[in-house]
């Protein structure tokens, strides 16, 4: 059984249809990348999978671990194992990262009928992962996404992902606004998470992210659906030719 | 008519009332319905009060008759029939649960959600009472002996009247005179109990003093009177928690809190107010019409911190009269209204002395169909040279059927004073909600987290345990506020 199976999905924002008859199957343990020009619907896809209510599904289906994902609220999807690393992480003033992650973990444990982790174990678990990503204690005390640089925000998104241990991770333009050093740190954070039961969907414009996180499959997305699928060499060919030949 | 006759007559009237539908024997503990001189004498008699206090009450009552209920606040409610209330109700033996098993499971569920320990649950449910004002009578005060060693007096107002009459006589009405306003005047006439705190010169209270107020009886108004006197160089942190059971009818709560802060003394007064707010349709709930004021002498400091989530209507402006030079007043407030709750709350900072400073931080959260007004007065007197004030009022709206209003009034009587005011109004954004939910938080957990973040600046002024309780309370009060 595939981990994620999207069939003939159509989705729109307001009156505008953005995903058009989109289909994609992702097996457990694999890394897929979706590349495409601006406005091709990549970010819509990630928001639709995560359940952003701003997008309307007009037809099609998404199965996740054999369950109907579209029937679930965003929090149910998250607790079932879907994680979206945001392109533009949202500010939550007055709420520290530590508090935020503690609540997120408590919600997940509650979802599975478990008791929340006590403070000592929580901090231990958080610090191990934070250190690996160069996230300091001071950063964890600051309010969520308030006053951080672009690179720091992406590192903190990666920290959340590692901390919550989802089965399916969507990285929406993780490489935008990152210098090469930060990109390496973030990529490493992703690579150590690669496991047989976990899959990734990387959404990007550029080849350079795919040099650091090597995908199993690459899809080219144009105008709301996939136009070509191939192995990692597809990205190299794309780098040479650009998207023009697909239009 | 002698006092004895009065009582027996009143008891007869009370028994008559009993015939009109009460199922428990309340004859000895409840004053007859309505308000007149005899009822005031009844209350005073019940408490074996000295003549000077009865005089104070009667003067207040006579003055009250000349006053009109104020209607300048941005709240609306059907007229209160002051003759249809009980002005004195003591706990009744037969009424009330005997063990936790008899308490409404829904109330227990709420306490559990609040994370209130079992002993405290019992207390709040009216099974055990510790430091609690239950209806009109202060039931018990713990830790008395330990405090007494340092000369600290912490007891009910009735006891204070009996045992420390000279202190009560000296300070009662010295900050809030009975002529002050309609509700304070009513309180002065009929107040039945409350807390009394006295911290002698140079003493720091070794623990936080706390009192729980609870309205239990039906149709009973609660008029508690709290008096705190902090002598020169002394310090105390006082906590006040309030709850009330669910009732369909509205209940009146008109309290007065007076605080005297002498030279170099400091008082921190924290409130978590969780009176019954009424149901989802706006039926029932407490009318919370409260007068709270402190008088600061030289270099004295008074800090009010309040988290207000309850009551159908809140009308409350904890104030500081900064009479002494270099005195400091602070007001940190979170007011949260949901469903059909109405709150008109804020503070008054009256700068009279030189180099007096005040800070106001108000966070208002409106959800459902509720309406909220921040009303504040900052006044710099002619002699308040170098006086400074900083005010910040932030409003957060949840949904599009609620309202938030800010009415800051600033009056400056001298050129050297500085007054700053900042205000913002914002909404919880869809993006914030989605971001939190994409991390596994339910919509209610998300709103609670975002709102707690919004209030953080105020919450951090609460004592630790109170802050945790208040945070949970905010989550519970917001239930049902989203989709």
């Amino acid at each position: 059984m595939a981990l994620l199976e999207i069939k003939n999905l159509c989705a729109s924002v307001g009156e505008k249809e953005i995903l058009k008859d989109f289909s994609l199957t992702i097996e457990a343990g694999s890394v897929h990348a979706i590349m495409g020009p601006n406005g091709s619907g990549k970010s819509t896809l990630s928001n639709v999978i995560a359940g952003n209510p701003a997008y309307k599904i007009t037809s099609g289906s998404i199965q996740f671990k054999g369950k109907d994902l579209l029937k679930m609220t965003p929090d149910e999807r998250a607790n079932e194992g879907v994680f979206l690393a945001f392109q533009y992480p949202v500010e939550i003033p007055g709420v520290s990262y530590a508090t935020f992650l503690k609540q997120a973990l408590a919600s997940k444990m509650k979802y599975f009928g478990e008791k929340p982790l006590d403070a000592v174990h929580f901090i231990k678990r958080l610090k191990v992962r934070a250190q690996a990503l160069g996230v300091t204690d001071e950063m964890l005390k600051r309010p969520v996404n308030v006053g951080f640089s672009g690179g720091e925000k992406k590192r903190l998104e990666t920290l959340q992902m590692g901390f919550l241990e989802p089965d399916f991770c969507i990285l929406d333009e993780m490489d935008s606004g990152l210098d090469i050093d930060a990109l390496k740190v973030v990529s490493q954070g992703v690579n150590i998470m690669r496991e047989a039961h976990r899959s990734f969907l990387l959404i990007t414009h550029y080849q350079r992210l795919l040099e650091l996180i090597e995908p199993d499959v690459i899809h080219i997305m144009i105008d709301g659906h996939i136009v070509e699928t191939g192995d990692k060499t597809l990205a190299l060919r794309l780098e040479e030719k650009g998207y023009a030949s697909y239009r | 008519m002698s006092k004895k006759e009065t009582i027996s007559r009143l008891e007869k009237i009370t028994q008559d009332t009993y015939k009109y539908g009460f199922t428990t024997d309340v004859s000895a503990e409840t004053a007859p319905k309505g308000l007149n001189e005899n009822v005031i004498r009844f209350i005073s008699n019940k408490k074996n009060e000295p003549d000077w206090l009865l005089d104070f009450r009667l003067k207040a009552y006579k003055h009250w008759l000349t006053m009109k209920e104020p209607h300048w606040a941005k709240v609306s409610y059907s007229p209160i029939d002051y003759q249809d209330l009980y002005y004195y109700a003591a706990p009744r033996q037969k009424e009330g649960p005997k063990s936790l098993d008899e308490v409404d499971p829904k109330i227990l569920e709420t306490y559990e959600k609040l994370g209130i320990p079992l002993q405290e649950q019992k207390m709040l449910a009216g099974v055990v009472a510790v430091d609690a004002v239950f209806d009109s009578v202060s039931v018990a005060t713990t830790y008395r002996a330990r405090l007494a060693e340092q000369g600290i007096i912490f007891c009910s107002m009735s006891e204070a009247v009996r045992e420390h009459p000279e202190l009560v006589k000296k300070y009662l009405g010295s900050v809030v005179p009975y002529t002050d306003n309609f509700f304070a005047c009513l309180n002065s006439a009929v107040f039945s109990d409350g807390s009394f705190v006295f911290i002698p010169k140079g003493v720091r209270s070794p623990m936080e003093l706390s009192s729980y107020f609870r309205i239990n009886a039906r149709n009973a108004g609660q008029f508690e009177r709290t008096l705190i006197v902090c002598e020169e160089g002394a310090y105390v942190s006082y906590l006040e928690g309030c709850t009330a059971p669910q009732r369909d009818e509205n209940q009146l709560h008109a309290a007065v809190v007076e605080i005297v802060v002498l030279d170099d003394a400091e008082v921190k007064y924290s409130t978590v107010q969780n009176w019954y707010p009424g149901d989802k349709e706006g039926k029932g709930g407490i009318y919370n019409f409260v007068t709270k004021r402190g008088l600061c002498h030289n270099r004295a400091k008074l800090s009010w911190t309040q988290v207000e989530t309850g009551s159908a209507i809140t009308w409350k402006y904890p104030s500081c009269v900064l009479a002494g030079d270099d005195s400091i007043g602070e007001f940190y407030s979170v007011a949260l209204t949901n469903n059909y709750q109405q709150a008109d709350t804020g503070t008054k900072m009256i700068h009279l002395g030189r180099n007096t400073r005040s800070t106001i931080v108000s966070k208002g959260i409106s959800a459902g169909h509720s309406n909220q007004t921040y009303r504040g007065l900052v006044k710099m007197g002619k002699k308040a040279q170098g006086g400074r004030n900083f005010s910040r009022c932030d409003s957060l709206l949840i949904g599009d059927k609620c309202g938030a209003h800010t009415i800051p009034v600033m009056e400056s009587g001298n050129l050297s004073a500085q007054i700053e005011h900042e205000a913002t109004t914002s909404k919880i954004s869809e993006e914030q909600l989605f971001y939190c939910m994409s991390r596994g938080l339910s919509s209610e957990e998300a709103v609670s987290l975002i709102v707690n973040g919004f209030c953080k600046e105020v919450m951090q002024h609460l004592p630790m345990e109170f802050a945790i309780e208040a945070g949970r309370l905010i989550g519970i009060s917001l239930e049902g506020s989203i989709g």
Side-chain angles (χ1 to χ4, degrees), chain B residues 23-81:
Chain B
T23 52
T24 44
D25 179 12
V26 296
S27 58
E29 290 91 2
T30 311
K33 213 177 215 184
L35 186 56
N36 53 50
E37 260 193 50
N38 287 339
V39 168
I40 290 164
R41 286 177 194 279
F42 174 91
I43 295 169
S44 192
N45 253 306
K46 265 276 168 207
K47 306 167 99 41
N48 288 319
E49 283 176 358
D51 288 344
W52 62 263
L53 192 51
L54 178 62
D55 285 348
F56 175 85
R57 290 177 182 279
L58 291 173
K59 269 191 217 153
Y61 174 66
K62 278 177 191 139
H63 187 75
W64 183 73
L65 291 173
T66 69
M67 296 178 97
K68 279 210 171 81
E69 194 184 304
H71 287 286
W72 44 260
K74 197 172 161 51
V75 295
S76 63
Y77 52 92
S78 30
I80 298 170
D81 182 353

Side-chain angles (χ1 to χ4, degrees), chain B residues 407-428:
Chain B
I407 307 174
V409 177
M410 286 161 263
E411 293 173 13
S412 190
N414 77 79
L415 288 172
S416 67
Q418 279 181 40
I419 303 177
E420 282 176 72
H421 181 89
E422 290 175 5
T424 65
T425 303
S426 53
K427 288 186 96 162
I428 290 187

Side-chain angles (χ1 to χ4, degrees), chain A:
Chain A
M1 186 179 68
L3 183 68
L4 182 84
E5 195 165 15
I6 303 175
K7 276 188 187 162
N8 310 107
L9 194 70
C10 294
S12 52
V13 179
E15 294 297 302
K16 197 172 178 224
E17 186 169 58
I18 295 180
L19 292 185
K20 298 168 185 168
D21 200 25
F22 182 94
S23 296
L24 173 68
T25 301
I26 296 179
E27 303 294 333
S30 62
V31 176
H32 286 233
I34 291 190
M35 303 182 76
N38 284 331
S40 56
K42 304 189 299 298
S43 282
T44 299
L45 176 67
S46 50
N47 275 285
V48 162
I49 297 173
N52 189 336
Y55 298 83
K56 211 175 112 200
I57 314 293
T58 45
S59 64
S61 69
I62 306 180
Q63 298 272 314
F64 181 68
K65 296 180 186 171
K67 293 178 189 170
D68 185 352
L69 198 69
L70 295 179
K71 282 214 175 105
M72 297 182 202
T73 54
D75 49 319
E76 286 167 342
R77 298 180 197 207
N79 291 322
E80 284 290 333
V82 173
F83 184 91
L84 169 63
F86 280 56
Q87 183 181 3
Y88 303 110
V90 183
E91 292 185 2
I92 308 177
V95 178
S96 73
Y97 263 106
T99 304
F100 185 63
L101 280 172
K102 194 157 189 254
Q103 177 64 57
L105 187 65
S107 299
K108 186 176 178 181
M109 296 182 99
K110 189 172 147 198
Y111 183 79
F112 289 107
E114 292 165 30
K115 281 206 152 87
L117 214 58
D118 64 78
V120 176
H121 285 93
F122 163 76
I123 288 170
K124 227 175 159 180
R125 178 170 163 171
L126 181 59
K127 280 200 173 167
V128 170
R129 290 167 200 278
Q131 272 166 10
L133 286 162
V135 172
T136 61
D137 289 0
E138 188 269 335
M139 284 164 83
L140 293 172
K141 284 181 193 153
R142 279 161 57 189
V144 176
N145 296 320
V146 178
F148 288 99
S149 71
E152 285 173 328
K153 283 185 195 170
K154 294 293 164 84
R155 259 192 285 169
L156 286 158
E157 289 289 292
T158 314
L159 171 64
Q160 292 183 47
M161 184 169 76
F163 182 78
L164 294 170
E165 300 181 345
D167 296 318
F168 181 60
C169 311
I170 309 163
L171 285 77
D172 192 358
E173 305 212 7
M174 206 58 176
D175 47 352
S176 68
L178 282 196
D179 60 47
I180 191 68
D181 295 331
L183 193 59
K184 276 184 183 160
V185 174
V186 168
S187 303
Q188 206 177 357
V190 173
N191 284 329
I192 55 168
M193 286 181 71
R194 290 179 77 156
E195 278 182 65
H197 65 88
R198 183 175 292 131
S199 303
F200 294 84
L201 181 61
L202 313 176
I203 287 172
T204 183
H205 284 290
Y206 305 109
Q207 145 75 11
R208 68 171 183 175
L209 177 71
L210 306 182
E211 285 168 4
L212 294 165
I213 307 170
E214 206 168 288
D216 302 305
V217 188
I218 293 179
H219 310 275
I220 310 286
M221 185 170 178
I222 308 275
D223 194 25
H225 59 275
I226 289 170
V227 292
E228 191 177 356
T229 296
D231 62 12
K232 60 184 176 184
T233 58
L234 185 56
L236 295 172
R237 294 209 300 278
L238 189 66
E239 199 85 335
E240 281 171 26
K241 297 192 296 183
Y243 294 111
S245 61
Y246 294 102
R247 292 188 209 256

Side-chain angles (χ1 to χ4, degrees), chain B residues 11-24 26 32-33 84 86 218-219:
Chain B
E11 282 181 344
K12 195 171 167 296
I13 297 167
T14 318
Q15 275 158 359
D16 286 344
T17 316
Y18 167 66
K19 271 193 236 160
Y20 292 106
F22 282 94
T23 52
T24 44
V26 296
K33 213 177 215 184
D84 194 37
Y86 289 100
R218 235 167 236 279
N219 282 327

Side-chain angles (χ1 to χ4, degrees), chain B residues 35 105 372 380 385:
Chain B
L35 186 56
Q372 203 175 115
M380 296 286 173
Q385 299 290 332

